[in-house]
Amino acid sequence: METQHNRVPDISIAEDPGILKQPKAVWAVFFACIIAFMGLGLVDPILPAIAKQLDADPSEVTLLFTSYNAVMAVAMLVTGFITSRIGMKRTLLSGIVIIALFSALGGFSNGIWELVFLRGGWGLGNALFVATALTAIVTLSNSGNAKAIILYEAAIGLGISVGPLIGGSLGAIVWRGPFFGVAGLMVIAFIGLIVLMPKTNTGRVTTKRTSLADPFRALKHRSLLVLGLTAALYNFGFFTLLAYSPFVLGLNEHGLGFVFLGWGGLLAVTSVYMAPKLQQWFGTVSSMCMMLFIFSLVLFAMGMWTSTQWVVIAAVIFAGALLGNINTLITTAVMNASPVERSTASAAYSFLRFLGGAIAPFMAGKLSEIYTPSLPFLVGGGVVFLSVVFIIFNNGHIQHVDKAEAH
């Protein structure tokens, strides 16, 4: 059983302080997060177009997500090491520069394997940005600190929801358009952080330097390990839906853009408004299990009615509501799970989380090529259902999360 007396203050997403009562630096990171996560959604509507233009199989195109998530997972382990030495602001800016560079290079690429490699570089930049952005928002937040995670997840949702619409519009002109679009948006994010982020020591996560071994040491806490493995299983389903569903929806770039606009919009709204209510009513762990179970049913439904277009479209959009809740609930639980620095906890958790996202896309493409188009969704649903079973059998290691939030 994990101790309830953490060295860092506990976070509850149901606290009273207003979500809008945040300092200028928090809003700077918030808007940069929106732009950064537009990059994820921008690419989604053009996956079928990339496959056609570069004469690639679905499994090869889904490697754009596999390389992205695999590099991101490994890079998460060094984000704390880097941030504790150069500060949050420089780490965020470095991540943005790397994203912009590899995205622009991706727009000039002429082969699928070249694009897969460049997408991995994009993942490196995103790792530096994403892990540091979560820590920055939580650290720089004022009395509304409990709402910082909601802001972070809302930024993700807004970025993912607007991204496909822009990506669909640019992709309808040329598939390279979204890659250049991301590079341009990153320039805007870079300028915003340069102007609004603190220049002094307030930009540092901690005065203590983090070692490369700290994330691995953090995983010795069973609560953090359980939540990280749960997130890995959940992300398997998340990226099965995100990376593979464009190939079975049968829509053009504009159509895919609108479907994922609805998906991301619900993700953003529920992460802000519904997740706190669920936590108040049922507690974090129970709410997480409930949302994960329903998400597994949605994936099973997509697998059973893959050839019925309206069912798959409705399921993708509805899944956004579930994912918004799950993202906020899991992230909140992780921040309260163990008595380690939040930056270290975030790095360790994200390492496991994105490993699941690395395996799923390529496996989904291969399963569809070898067997049937419906099998990736059925496998994804089974893996997400396994996450619920895993939580139930390990509940003793994470039940202190709800008790901490009650305090």
Side-chain angles (χ1 to χ4, degrees), residues 79-100:
T79 54
F81 177 85
I82 295 172
T83 306
S84 65
R85 284 159 175 76
I86 68 174
M88 286 191 295
K89 183 173 183 177
R90 288 179 180 175
T91 306
L92 289 169
L93 293 175
S94 298
I96 287 176
V97 169
I98 294 172
I99 294 171

Side-chain angles (χ1 to χ4, degrees), residues 25-372:
V26 171
W27 291 115
V29 179
F30 174 81
F31 286 113
C33 279
I34 293 177
I35 296 174
F37 277 95
M38 279 184 186
L40 185 63
L42 271 169
V43 177
D44 216 44
I46 60 170
L47 293 178
I50 291 175
K52 182 179 179 181
Q53 293 294 323
L54 298 182
D55 193 25
D57 296 326
S59 62
E60 293 175 329
V61 176
T62 53
L63 281 172
L64 294 176
F65 283 96
T66 292
S67 64
Y68 175 84
N69 284 321
V71 172
M72 198 168 170
V74 175
M76 284 291 179
L77 297 173
V78 302
T79 54
F81 177 85
I82 295 172
T83 306
S84 65
R85 284 159 175 76
I86 68 174
M88 286 191 295
K89 183 173 183 177
R90 288 179 180 175
T91 306
L92 289 169
L93 293 175
S94 298
I96 287 176
V97 169
I98 294 172
I99 294 171
L101 174 63
F102 281 93
S103 178
L105 290 174
F108 289 109
S109 64
N110 294 307
I112 187 62
W113 295 107
E114 180 184 356
L115 197 56
V116 167
F117 171 79
L118 293 171
R119 180 76 165 160
W122 188 339
L124 171 62
N126 227 50
L128 291 172
F129 182 86
V130 170
T132 312
L134 173 58
T135 306
I137 290 179
V138 172
T139 303
L140 296 173
S141 179
N142 56 14
S143 58
N145 188 37
K147 305 298 181 183
I149 290 174
I150 296 179
L151 278 177
Y152 174 76
E153 296 295 345
I156 292 175
L158 288 170
I160 290 176
S161 63
V162 176
L165 191 61
I166 299 174
S169 300
L170 295 175
I173 302 171
V174 59
W175 71 264
R176 302 174 190 274
F179 288 91
F180 294 127
V182 169
L185 290 170
M186 287 296 101
V187 173
I188 298 174
F190 185 89
I191 295 172
L193 286 179
I194 283 286
V195 173
L196 298 176
M197 272 287 284
K199 298 179 180 179
T200 60
N201 288 336
T202 54
R204 287 198 176 269
V205 177
T206 175
T207 55
K208 177 186 174 184
R209 289 197 171 191
T210 303
S211 76
L212 292 174
D214 282 351
F216 294 104
R217 293 194 190 102
L219 290 175
K220 292 180 180 179
H221 295 277
R222 289 294 295 274
S223 56
L224 188 59
L225 180 62
V226 167
L227 289 170
L229 292 174
T230 298
L233 296 172
Y234 154 63
N235 255 30
F236 188 98
F238 182 103
F239 278 96
T240 295
L241 183 146
L242 185 64
Y244 176 66
S245 60
F247 292 100
V248 300
L249 283 169
L251 299 171
N252 61 19
E253 291 84 354
H254 287 297
L256 289 172
F258 281 114
V259 168
F260 282 97
L261 172 65
W263 173 79
L266 284 179
L267 191 153
V269 170
T270 54
S271 67
V272 174
Y273 297 106
M274 189 173 176
K277 296 297 182 184
L278 289 174
Q279 189 195 34
Q280 283 180 321
W281 296 337
F282 306 109
T284 302
V285 177
S286 296
S287 300
M288 207 163 36
C289 286
M290 180 171 57
M291 293 294 104
L292 286 168
F293 177 69
I294 298 173
F295 181 40
S296 71
L297 295 182
V298 170
L299 288 171
F300 284 137
M302 294 174 71
M304 288 186 285
W305 291 286
T306 306
S307 59
T308 307
Q309 187 185 50
W310 73 266
V311 172
V312 180
I313 291 174
V316 168
I317 295 173
F318 175 68
L322 304 174
L323 305 183
N325 287 312
I326 296 169
N327 288 348
T328 299
L329 291 167
I330 291 184
T331 306
T332 304
V334 167
M335 292 295 101
N336 287 333
S338 62
V340 299
E341 291 286 342
R342 284 180 182 142
S343 58
T344 303
S346 176
Y349 152 75
S350 297
F351 166 67
L352 294 175
R353 175 186 184 183
F354 288 107
L355 281 181
I359 297 169
F362 179 71
M363 182 178 288
K366 274 298 180 187
L367 289 173
S368 69
E369 291 169 10
I370 298 173
Y371 299 103
T372 65

